[in-house]
Amino acid sequence: MTAGSGLEHEEVSPHEFLERGGPLEILQLWINLPSRLKMTTPAYTGLQNSQIPSFTLDGERVRVNLIAGSWEDRRGPIESLTGVHMTTIELRPGGAVELPVPAGRNVFLYVVREEIRIGGHPAPQFHLAELQDDGDSISVESGDDSLILFGHVAPIGEPVVAHGPFVMNTREEILEAIRDYQAGKFRGAIEL
């Protein structure tokens, strides 16, 4: 979803979940836009798991689900305005992968399930790894069935001012966004 110039959205649980309950896993990652793109027309692309290309590595012990960006000759279905590369990676016990990371990019690696090792160092479940941007790859190994969220993007290098759901570059822009929201100028609601 690109919030751009303003968008209301609501996350609604599936009817079956509301009736019967059960496990529900939601992970949201909000990515800032540079000032030149802040007023982009809002957009939403919904994908089902079957629409996300995947491929295996390391003797099928690693499955890469390519959401945005590219990996060798493959491209993800989401076209990012800012060149975001985003994947989920499933690792079976003993699975190992070298994750390609161009130098000078902000790197995001979040351990969703089980413990992994990053460059030989343990990273537990629900851990956000802080990584350097000075290499061209990161080695990841799993001792159990693990799941990670991995991505990278070029740094924006602009000031960030946040208030509630609004993220802009200045306090004045935040106040303008609040006024626009109160005036009903945001695009109609999208249910997710």
Side-chain angles (χ1 to χ4, degrees):
M1 176 171 48
T2 301
S5 62
L7 179 71
E8 288 185 59
H9 77 283
E10 179 178 357
E11 287 140 16
V12 180
S13 297
H15 179 71
E16 183 178 304
F17 178 80
L18 293 173
E19 292 290 320
R20 296 189 182 116
L24 179 64
E25 184 174 64
I26 297 175
L27 181 61
Q28 289 188 348
L29 175 63
W30 292 63
I31 300 172
N32 191 20
L33 290 172
S35 59
R36 66 182 173 78
L37 296 174
K38 289 278 194 225
M39 301 314 278
T40 296
T41 301
Y44 174 76
T45 303
L47 294 176
Q48 298 302 314
N49 193 42
S50 63
Q51 296 171 292
I52 299 172
S54 67
F55 56 94
T56 59
L57 301 168
D58 192 24
E60 297 191 4
R61 292 183 293 185
V62 175
R63 174 171 299 283
V64 177
N65 305 296
L66 183 56
I67 300 163
S70 61
W71 189 305
E72 295 176 352
D73 61 342
R74 301 169 182 96
R75 289 219 40 92
I78 298 293
E79 290 297 326
S80 164
L81 295 174
T82 57
V84 170
H85 171 89
M86 187 58 58
T87 61
T88 59
I89 301 174
E90 305 164 45
L91 297 104
R92 290 188 173 165
V97 63
E98 286 287 321
L99 303 176
V101 182
R105 294 188 48 103
N106 290 336
V107 182
F108 180 89
L109 195 157
Y110 180 75
V111 184
V112 178
R113 191 168 41 245
E114 299 302 332
E115 181 176 295
I116 62 169
R117 297 186 68 74
I118 304 169
H121 301 284
Q125 181 173 328
F126 308 132
H127 179 78
L128 176 62
E130 186 174 337
L131 303 168
Q132 299 294 321
D133 66 351
D134 57 359
D136 60 356
S137 69
I138 300 166
S139 78
V140 174
E141 304 165 38
S142 178
D144 210 337
D145 284 321
S146 303
L147 175 65
I148 64 173
L149 180 61
F150 169 73
H152 51 82
V153 66
I156 295 174
E158 296 177 354
V160 175
V161 178
H163 179 83
F166 305 107
V167 179
M168 299 301 280
N169 297 94
T170 67
R171 184 177 185 287
E172 292 74 24
E173 290 171 341
I174 289 285
L175 295 173
E176 182 179 345
I178 292 169
R179 284 191 299 271
D180 287 350
Y181 173 74
Q182 290 171 338
K185 292 183 179 179
F186 281 22
R187 194 162 153 223
I190 292 178
E191 284 191 8
L192 304 177

